[in-house]
Amino acid sequence: MPAPERSLTLFFALLLLLAGCSGPSPEKAAGAPARLELLNVSYDPTRELWRDLNEAFVPLYKAETGVDLEIKQSHAASGSQARAIIDGLEADVATLSLWPDTDALRKQGLLREGWDDGLPNRSLPYTSTVVFVVRKGNPKAIKDWGDLVRPGTEIITPNPKTSGNGRLSLLAAWGSVVLRGGSEADARELLRKLYLQVPVLDTGARGATTTFAQKGIGDVHLAMESEAYLEVQESKGAVEIVYPSISILHEPHMTVVDKVVDQKGTRNAAEAYLKFLYTPAGQEIIAKHFFRPTDPDILAKHAGQFPTIELFPLSKISGSWDEAQKTFFAEGGIFDQIYHPASRGADK
Amino acid sequence: MAARRILPGFRLSVSWTVLYLAALVLVPLAACVLKASSLTAAEFFRAVWTDRAQAAYWLTLRTSLAASVIDCWLGLLLAWVLVRYEFPLKSVFDALVDLPFALPTAVAGLVYSNLYVEKGWLGQFLVPLGIKGAYSELAIVLVLSFIGLPFVVRTVQPVLESLDAEVEDAAACLGASRWFTFRRVILPPLYPALLTGFALTFARALGEYGSVVFVSGNMPFKTEIAPVLIVSRLEEFAYAEATAIAVVLLVASFAMLAVINLLERRVSRYGA
């Protein structure tokens, strides 16, 4: 008869013991763990930018929440980074170069619909553009897009099929015609002549930089503004930047990867991380690395470094990125037509 | 199993072999084919047989073939020197042969293009003569022979080592000229090894990407190899189309290996 009673007391004793055990650390049970790891999967030329941003953000976050953050960076070409995430690389945030690369994650169910409204300014903490890098003194007197196709001018730009930078350069050249009153046929003709004068089509942006700066090939290099500044610094004055009158607005969207952060429980940290980019401190670091801050005050402060030229978004020349991809770069698109022997024959 | 074998462990070792082969080779290759087979026949054909793809295949085939032929000559010569002569630092030379295996091919591509551009060490002399060793078809042949060279040397070397020098002496005693001795006495037993080396170099060259993208210039219809097309399809997230082109290369490579294997068997039958 005492048996059930005894087991009941034992049960309660155990319960008390368990409650006592978890008693001393209520914050831990309720809040986030004291250590977190984030993975930022990004594109190539932002390596140094993110290193600086991480260095600034980690102590801030620690002071605010008591959490020790470790932020890991992964860099490669934007498209292959998107594929890596799709194939299972657990990125907490994706900070890729082109909208289609990030949107590919949505198509695979990694991001929620409407992801590009998740952060201020359409998820764009900074923008950039395509500019010209020329040899010192600009011997070929290249000032604008039309000058590129003068006979005897060699142009270095990566392959639009394999490089985001290459795609933006092509679209910038296209826009320089159609947004200044030219017809589509004129734009096509500019592109055709332009690519006839491209001696090497590197597969990525860094390869093109090497070809132009180190191997000394070509008269002008179509480069992202941030890369162009690095190129000038590296070359110690052997090359200089020329701003065309009009160019494309490069919009590298950033996003928290919803599926991953919800699984790992890192959403708060990841969101705070990306929001930091919009703070004055974050924007200053961005400007220091020659990306255009979206905060007008900080941009104005660095106006000397970012001349105002006409920058057009993709939407001015194409309905959407998907449409642009189909028209220009897909199999049989405008880029393929330019290179088809039938359309080149007359010139070479 | 009826008869007892001298060496134990046949079943164990063969099951491991099959397991590893399946996990490391067959499953990935099957996955490749499976991915491509998500396309209908018409889609598959459209993906792999565009004008641009055809140009790329012929280029890849041409340059791989040229590189394999060059490597056969060069590899035979290298193996000959390494086996038949004694000279200082021979072991260093011997080790150097394997270097192309160890070097990331992208580095090789970068170095070659740096050497042969107009302002490069070699390019400054060659380009004025009209020899373009960078951003041309020649450039592709050059790097492909670089990455394939060890295959021929390493397949020919052991066979050459096993050849008896006395046979040559005998040939000389019987009045054969040197060229005759080389052609009729030394070369025939080397054919199977040379063919193997050729096939390996060729198959390797068909799929080479890293080095070629840096030296070829990647101009569509001119210097764009098939692997670059695969990458450009991947950039469009067109996985199935990309693997379709990969399957074509795979089949070409496999067919080549099969043909060579057949030839090799025939040659060794006559050779023996």
Side-chain angles (χ1 to χ4, degrees):
Chain A
M1 281 137 266
E5 244 170 297
R6 224 174 45 213
S7 63
L8 212 67
T9 355
L10 202 72
F11 176 66
F12 278 110
L14 265 172
L15 211 68
L16 268 172
L17 202 74
L18 274 174
C21 274
S22 59
S25 54
E27 316 96 311
K28 233 180 195 172
R35 270 192 53 82
L36 268 184
E37 202 183 283
L38 291 182
L39 174 63
N40 178 1
V41 173
S42 192
Y43 59 108
D44 250 336
T46 56
R47 203 177 302 264
E48 295 78 15
L49 168 71
W50 283 113
R51 199 181 300 142
D52 274 13
L53 284 167
N54 295 346
E55 233 166 66
F57 175 69
V58 169
L60 267 181
Y61 194 69
K62 166 94 175 162
E64 222 167 81
T65 62
V67 174
D68 265 317
L69 260 191
E70 191 187 342
I71 303 176
K72 297 205 161 150
Q73 299 172 228
S74 159
H75 295 275
S78 182
S80 56
Q81 291 292 73
R83 284 196 301 280
I85 300 175
I86 290 171
D87 292 341
L89 181 63
E90 292 206 313
D92 298 276
V93 298
T95 57
L96 304 172
S97 173
L98 292 187
W99 190 87
D101 293 334
T102 318
D103 199 52
L105 305 182
R106 177 193 61 83
K107 287 177 181 156
Q108 299 294 325
L110 287 156
L111 305 181
R112 61 189 172 74
E113 297 292 323
W115 59 268
D116 46 358
D117 291 325
L119 289 161
N121 192 36
R122 291 187 303 120
S123 298
L124 292 170
Y126 64 82
T127 59
S128 189
T129 186
V130 176
V131 300
F132 302 164
V133 183
V134 297
R135 306 277 169 211
K136 189 181 176 55
N138 196 0
K140 298 263 164 133
I142 294 159
K143 297 208 177 65
D144 215 337
W145 293 96
D147 301 330
L148 296 179
V149 295
R150 269 196 307 245
T153 308
E154 283 196 333
I155 304 140
I156 301 296
T157 177
N159 190 338
K161 289 240 179 187
T162 53
S163 154
N165 181 338
R167 250 167 275 177
L168 286 167
S169 302
L170 184 146
L171 294 169
W174 179 272
S176 76
V177 176
V178 296
L179 295 178
R180 290 280 164 84
S183 68
E184 280 205 5
D186 297 337
R188 211 176 264 260
E189 187 56 19
L190 178 88
L191 288 186
R192 196 181 67 85
K193 284 188 180 155
L194 194 156
Y195 281 94
L196 265 177
Q197 287 165 212
V198 175
V200 185
L201 275 177
D202 286 289
T203 47
R206 273 286 151 91
T209 306
T210 312
T211 301
F212 182 76
Q214 258 136 59
K215 295 181 194 158
I217 293 178
D219 302 302
V220 54
H221 173 204
L222 311 185
M224 302 308 299
E225 192 174 32
S226 56
E227 285 278 281
Y229 274 99
L230 287 185
E231 213 172 316
V232 170
Q233 279 174 5
E234 288 272 303
S235 78
K236 299 186 182 76
V239 300
E240 57 190 57
I241 298 177
V242 169
Y243 277 88
S245 66
I246 182 172
S247 191
I248 195 164
L249 186 66
H250 173 215
E251 303 186 315
H253 295 268
M254 336 227 123
T255 180
V256 164
V257 182
D258 294 293
K259 200 175 168 193
V260 174
V261 292
D262 288 342
Q263 258 167 22
K264 282 173 65 180
T266 47
R267 178 175 284 279
N268 288 338
E271 279 176 354
Y273 178 45
L274 289 185
K275 282 192 182 125
F276 168 71
L277 297 172
Y278 294 90
T279 64
Q283 293 276 299
E284 276 293 342
I285 295 173
I286 284 167
K288 198 185 111 198
H289 287 273
F290 306 107
F291 294 93
R292 295 183 174 224
T294 47
D295 181 330
D297 295 338
I298 311 268
L299 183 63
K301 221 175 110 189
H302 295 272
Q305 159 183 331
F306 301 116
T308 22
I309 58 170
E310 187 186 344
L311 293 179
F312 63 88
L314 177 90
S315 55
K316 279 269 185 74
I317 54 170
S318 180
S320 67
W321 265 108
D322 282 341
E323 210 173 286
Q325 179 69 32
K326 216 177 284 160
T327 322
F328 292 97
F329 310 115
E331 205 74 51
I334 288 176
F335 183 72
D336 274 359
Q337 292 161 23
I338 287 168
Y339 268 101
H340 200 279
S343 82
R344 307 198 94 192
D347 295 73
K348 271 213 168 167
Chain B
M1 219 170 293
R4 268 186 69 88
R5 286 164 197 275
I6 299 168
L7 286 175
F10 170 74
R11 276 178 196 221
L12 187 67
S13 54
V14 108
S15 21
W16 276 114
T17 307
V18 170
L19 187 73
Y20 278 129
L21 262 183
L24 296 176
V25 181
L26 290 178
V27 170
L29 289 186
C32 195
V33 174
L34 213 67
K35 189 96 206 175
S37 66
S38 66
L39 300 169
T40 65
E43 280 169 342
F44 182 91
F45 193 73
R46 210 177 312 131
V48 301
W49 212 244
T50 57
D51 285 0
R52 193 166 164 187
Q54 284 180 47
Y57 294 140
W58 296 134
L59 176 74
T60 307
L61 213 66
R62 231 177 15 243
T63 50
S64 301
L65 211 64
S68 314
V69 170
I70 292 174
D71 275 352
C72 272
W73 284 109
L74 214 58
L76 179 61
L77 185 73
L78 260 169
W80 181 264
V81 169
L82 285 174
V83 170
R84 285 300 166 91
Y85 302 101
E86 287 304 323
F87 50 92
L89 297 179
K90 182 171 156 178
S91 57
V92 175
F93 279 93
D94 197 43
L96 275 179
V97 169
D98 284 330
L99 213 58
F101 277 161
L103 200 69
T105 51
V107 176
L110 214 61
V111 170
Y112 263 74
S113 63
N114 260 327
L115 272 180
Y116 286 101
V117 289
E118 222 173 326
K119 288 174 186 158
W121 286 355
L122 297 173
Q124 54 183 327
F125 306 112
L126 294 176
V127 173
L129 300 175
I131 302 170
K132 281 193 169 173
Y135 310 125
S136 62
E137 217 174 301
L138 174 66
I140 304 177
V141 175
L142 280 174
V143 284
L144 289 185
S145 16
F146 171 80
I147 57 148
L149 189 62
F151 285 114
V152 178
V153 180
R154 291 303 181 225
T155 47
V156 171
Q157 207 174 10
V159 183
L160 210 52
E161 263 162 8
S162 70
L163 283 189
D164 236 334
E166 285 164 27
V167 182
E168 287 165 52
D169 294 340
C173 288
L174 291 170
S177 71
R178 283 188 178 170
W179 173 236
F180 190 85
T181 313
F182 178 74
R183 213 157 41 89
R184 304 302 293 267
V185 178
I186 298 169
L187 215 45
L190 289 180
Y191 280 143
L194 270 174
L195 266 176
T196 308
F198 179 88
L200 290 174
T201 311
F202 186 81
R204 175 83 178 80
L206 276 187
E208 174 59 16
Y209 174 75
S211 57
V212 181
V213 291
F214 283 103
V215 297
S216 70
N218 303 313
M219 308 300 282
F221 293 101
K222 278 165 74 190
T223 56
E224 186 179 62
I225 53 162
V228 171
L229 276 190
I230 297 179
V231 173
S232 72
R233 293 326 298 270
L234 283 177
E235 285 298 313
E236 299 165 29
F237 302 99
Y239 286 80
E241 283 84 354
T243 41
I245 302 176
V247 165
V248 171
L249 287 187
L250 207 66
V251 169
S253 188
F254 193 75
M256 181 74 192
L257 288 178
V259 167
I260 296 275
N261 225 311
L262 217 80
L263 271 177
E264 202 177 291
R265 228 175 282 168
R266 184 162 298 175
V267 165
S268 60
R269 201 187 312 149
Y270 288 123

